[in-house]
Amino acid sequence: MLQDKDILELFKKSEALLSGHFELTSGLHSNQYFQCALVLQYPNYCELLAKGLKEKFADFPKPDKVIGPALGGVTLAYELARSVKEVIELIKREGAEVIAVGSVVNRSSQSVDFGVPFRSLIKMEVQTYQPSNCPLCEQGIPVYKPGSKALKK
Ligand SMILES: [Zn+2]
């Protein structure tokens, strides 16, 4: 079973735990960001994380399909809360049943309700700020919006 320290080590080795000034999918700002794509570029790390996530759902029946949001989730079913909700709605519209949601990192400070069981490999509390009350914005540090959401526009 993967331990939190093992997962953090994979993120550190792949320089995927970024520090800076980020606009998250939620619209909040943060000084940290988990760039899962940097970990998943290494097939052996991806395999380890996927096996760890699979173990988290060992008590579930074997699913017919495992679906992940683009782009990172195409490699491994992970994403941020809003993207997961969009994917759940998409799956339901197609007439399929969602039995559970899994992610590599859960950086939510509050519990997330997807309407189905949600499990992650590691839970990390990341400091977030409303943009109107962000000390990094006050310092004039340019904000970077990671992820694939910008590709839609
Ligand atoms: Zn900010």
Side-chain angles (χ1 to χ4, degrees), residues 21 29 134 136-137:
H21 185 197
H29 289 194
C134 173
L136 302 168
C137 284

Side-chain angles (χ1 to χ4, degrees), residues 96-124:
E97 178 193 4
V98 177
I99 61 170
V101 173
S103 72
V104 174
V105 179
N106 176 2
R107 60 164 196 239
S108 302
S109 55
Q110 299 145 359
S111 65
V112 182
D113 183 8
F114 294 117
V116 293
F118 172 50
R119 297 176 187 170
S120 59
L121 281 179
I122 187 169
K123 186 168 174 59
M124 293 287 294

Side-chain angles (χ1 to χ4, degrees), residues 21-22 29-30 129-131 134-138 141 143:
H21 185 197
F22 304 98
H29 289 194
S30 178
Y129 312 96
Q130 292 293 335
C134 173
L136 302 168
C137 284
E138 283 177 19
I141 298 170
V143 65

Side-chain angles (χ1 to χ4, degrees), residues 3 12 26 30-31 38 47 49 54-55 60 62 70 72 85 97 102 104 106 109 117 119-120 123 131-132 134 137 142:
Q3 304 296 316
K12 285 178 186 165
S26 62
S30 178
N31 61 355
L38 291 175
E47 183 180 5
L49 293 174
K54 184 180 171 189
E55 288 172 7
F60 277 76
K62 187 176 177 220
K85 287 179 181 172
E97 178 193 4
V104 174
N106 176 2
S109 55
R119 297 176 187 170
S120 59
K123 186 168 174 59
S132 60
C134 173
C137 284

Side-chain angles (χ1 to χ4, degrees), residues 23-85:
E23 181 182 338
L24 308 176
T25 305
S26 62
L28 296 174
H29 289 194
S30 178
N31 61 355
Q32 284 190 306
Y33 186 77
F34 291 91
Q35 186 63 276
C36 285
L38 291 175
V39 177
L40 300 176
Q41 71 178 315
Y42 302 105
N44 51 335
Y45 295 174
C46 184
E47 183 180 5
L48 278 172
L49 293 174
K51 280 182 179 172
L53 202 50
K54 184 180 171 189
E55 288 172 7
K56 287 275 183 184
F57 292 93
D59 56 325
F60 277 76
K62 187 176 177 220
D64 296 328
K65 303 274 187 289
V66 176
I67 299 169
L71 295 170
V74 172
T75 310
L76 179 72
Y78 87 94
E79 238 300 343
L80 311 174
R82 184 181 298 181
S83 290
V84 171
K85 287 179 181 172

